[in-house]
Amino acid sequence: METINDFNFPGLPKIVFGAGTFSGLPEIIHSYGRHALIVIGGESLVKSGRWNVLAKQLNQTGLQYKAVSVWGEPTTKTIDAIASEFRKTPVNVVVAIGGGSVIDYGKAIAAMLAEDGTLRDYLEGVGTKKPSGAKVPFIAVPTTAGTGSEATKNAVVCDRKEGYKKSLRHDAYMPDAALVDPELTLTMPRLLTISCGLDAVSQLIESYTSTKADASLDSLALKALSGASEGLLPLCLDRGNDISLRGKMSYAALVSGITLSRAGLGAVHGIAGPLGGLFPVPHGVACGKLLFPVMTFVVKKIIDEKNLVAQKRFADIGRLLTDDAGSEDILCRKTQISKTKCIEICKSNNPAASGGYNNEDYTRGCKQFLDVLNKWTRTLKLPQLSYFGMTAADMAKAISLSDSKNSPAILSKEEMKVILEIIR
Ligand SMILES: [Fe+2]
């Protein structure tokens, strides 16, 4: 039987969620002061006309702002340069509007405006200094639905020369506010919708099945996964303009940030991190490619190891994603008795079962889980990793740097090699 693990619940950002909420951004910025540094990425915000509208609104409210554009994944060099330039000017609030990388840029800049020296000194596993947690208030505005960085306390920084992706992390780095407007994701191209969507899904699955999972996150993760499973395929196939489905994916991404911050992640991210440090594969693509093969190994292991607690968690997801109400409902339908009475009978007939489940249900649920992932993988067809420049040398190095994080099954280096050969 599952126990309720100990947990503590550090703060979340002030969250404003909903289609059209972007128009309220100037008011939120204003609540932190009159001097804002706004970090934006690429050109999509400008091309969509939203930047001009926002700039006009900011001017009307009397806010003083400076905007910086960033490209690609966050690097120590760029963050140090921006922080060094803006330490000399008053900045009451940093705002990042963009995908996960732009938000990580903003998060790291907000922190480094309040720290001395170079960002490299504070990176986990790289630097020697601990971040103090001091920072300039930070507002995250995602324009993609994927990383959930709007609700995490770390910024991922990449140095491809040294071959790493490492985090700047502190509880205080959780954004002060997250404005999540699904309308901003309507212009996401198909490949980005797929890769970001699979990143969010893998984060929800890995945090729900993590050895650090706790009861306070369960219903959040399952509800978000349910929405993602409704939205992912139609959005990627033929309903990209459906704002209701975009809302489900934005919600899934937001919740995945909340759950991963608390419960951690598993082997998909334990391998995707090093891959992204070694060659320019988008994080969501790496996660999407790894998801099915990694989960196949993990599920096989937890069944072989008779890890019933983990099996139940994967079975929960399998039943949810296939709308399978389980043996109780089948029995209820067959016998035409009430569900409550049916669960009572199930439990009394099988005292070892938790909530009416039995071991056969677990195995069946795990299989349903893998069947759904297999179907998604076959339908969404992400490119192989060699398309992004992965070489045999990258593969060997990635394996040496990878781990299984908080996965309920630890993958061996040999198993990781098999997985990478499949997706290379
Ligand atoms: Fe991720």
Side-chain angles (χ1 to χ4, degrees):
M1 184 180 291
E2 263 193 311
T3 54
I4 293 185
N5 292 346
D6 298 349
F7 65 88
N8 70 70
F9 214 129
L12 289 174
K14 167 192 168 74
I15 297 171
V16 178
F17 184 98
T21 51
F22 187 68
S23 62
L25 181 58
E27 202 179 314
I28 300 173
I29 298 174
H30 210 271
S31 68
Y32 291 95
R34 290 188 62 245
H35 298 276
L37 172 61
I38 304 181
V39 183
I40 57 174
E43 294 172 340
S44 64
L45 197 69
V46 177
K47 273 188 185 160
S48 68
R50 289 186 184 278
W51 173 251
N52 282 346
V53 174
L54 177 65
K56 206 171 159 191
Q57 282 180 303
L58 293 173
N59 290 332
Q60 281 167 355
T61 56
L63 267 161
Q64 307 286 309
Y65 70 90
K66 289 265 168 43
V68 289
S69 289
V70 291
W71 284 269
E73 294 182 273
T75 63
T76 49
K77 196 176 161 195
T78 313
I79 292 163
D80 282 345
I82 296 171
S84 153
E85 180 184 346
F86 286 95
R87 274 186 201 123
K88 300 167 203 153
T89 61
V91 178
N92 303 127
V93 58
V94 175
V95 186
I97 309 170
S101 292
V102 177
I103 291 175
D104 279 0
Y105 258 117
K107 206 181 281 179
I109 291 166
M112 290 310 296
L113 283 173
E115 295 282 15
D116 292 325
T118 167
L119 168 62
R120 195 182 187 287
D121 293 343
Y122 299 95
L123 288 181
E124 273 179 354
V126 176
T128 52
K129 294 182 181 172
K130 277 207 176 329
S132 67
K135 66 164 193 182
V136 171
F138 175 58
I139 302 170
V141 185
T143 57
T144 60
T147 66
S149 180
E150 62 273 21
T152 67
K153 56 190 179 187
N154 68 306
V156 179
V157 178
C158 179
D159 189 325
R160 213 149 271 133
K161 219 170 163 188
E162 292 194 38
Y164 67 69
K165 259 191 171 183
K166 295 288 180 185
S167 276
L168 175 71
R169 190 188 311 269
H170 193 285
D171 280 352
Y173 295 160
M174 182 66 82
D176 297 270
L179 188 152
V180 184
D181 182 345
E183 280 184 3
L184 301 182
T185 69
L186 282 169
T187 50
M188 284 172 75
R190 181 174 178 271
L191 181 59
L192 195 61
T193 303
I194 296 172
S195 57
C196 288
L198 287 173
D199 184 22
V201 164
S202 61
Q203 288 172 179
L204 288 166
I205 292 170
E206 293 204 303
S207 52
Y208 184 76
T209 57
S210 160
T211 52
K212 285 167 61 187
D214 71 55
S216 67
L217 302 170
D218 288 352
S219 53
L220 264 180
L222 290 178
K223 177 76 182 168
L225 260 174
S226 168
S229 78
E230 287 167 28
L232 186 62
L233 292 191
L235 272 179
C236 297
L237 295 177
D238 56 0
R239 288 170 63 193
N241 288 328
D242 188 322
I243 189 64
S244 158
L245 298 181
R246 290 282 178 191
K248 287 175 194 285
M249 293 311 295
S250 291
Y251 182 74
L254 170 71
V255 171
S256 77
I258 295 171
T259 57
L260 82 84
S261 284
R262 300 269 311 285
L265 293 165
V268 168
H269 280 79
I271 302 172
L275 288 179
L278 291 166
F279 63 98
V281 57
H283 173 70
V285 172
C287 292
K289 292 298 287 181
L290 286 162
L291 187 56
F292 177 58
V294 165
M295 289 301 159
T296 302
F297 274 98
V298 169
V299 167
K300 183 180 182 315
K301 287 194 127 173
I302 58 166
I303 290 175
D304 289 349
E305 291 164 5
K306 300 189 172 22
N307 181 344
L308 296 182
V309 171
Q311 285 176 40
K312 179 185 180 304
R313 289 195 160 257
F314 283 103
D316 287 343
I317 301 175
R319 285 158 55 110
L320 177 84
L321 299 186
T322 51
D323 258 343
D324 177 1
S327 59
E328 293 143 18
D329 254 25
I330 292 165
L331 188 59
C332 293
R333 268 184 259 130
K334 278 185 182 165
T335 54
Q336 293 189 330
I337 58 174
S338 77
K339 184 166 180 179
T340 316
K341 185 71 187 163
C342 181
I343 291 172
E344 226 172 75
I345 296 168
C346 283
K347 280 183 177 172
S348 63
N349 285 344
N350 181 5
S354 158
Y357 276 112
N358 59 43
N359 295 358
E360 255 175 51
D361 284 333
Y362 292 167
T363 313
R364 188 175 61 140
C366 287
K367 186 176 175 313
Q368 287 170 323
F369 166 72
L370 291 178
D371 286 346
V372 170
L373 293 193
N374 190 18
K375 180 182 153 199
W376 288 355
T377 304
R378 281 187 287 109
T379 309
L380 297 173
K381 292 190 181 70
L382 283 170
Q384 291 290 93
L385 297 192
S386 55
Y387 176 82
F388 300 94
M390 182 185 183
T391 62
D394 289 331
M395 199 168 103
K397 185 88 196 283
I399 293 166
S400 72
L401 296 172
S402 295
D403 63 28
S404 299
K405 291 189 175 277
N406 302 112
S407 166
I410 306 298
L411 299 187
S412 67
K413 298 291 179 189
E414 201 46 49
E415 287 164 336
M416 290 180 186
K417 190 173 172 217
V418 173
I419 290 165
L420 287 181
E421 273 166 356
I422 293 169
I423 64 173
R424 190 179 149 202

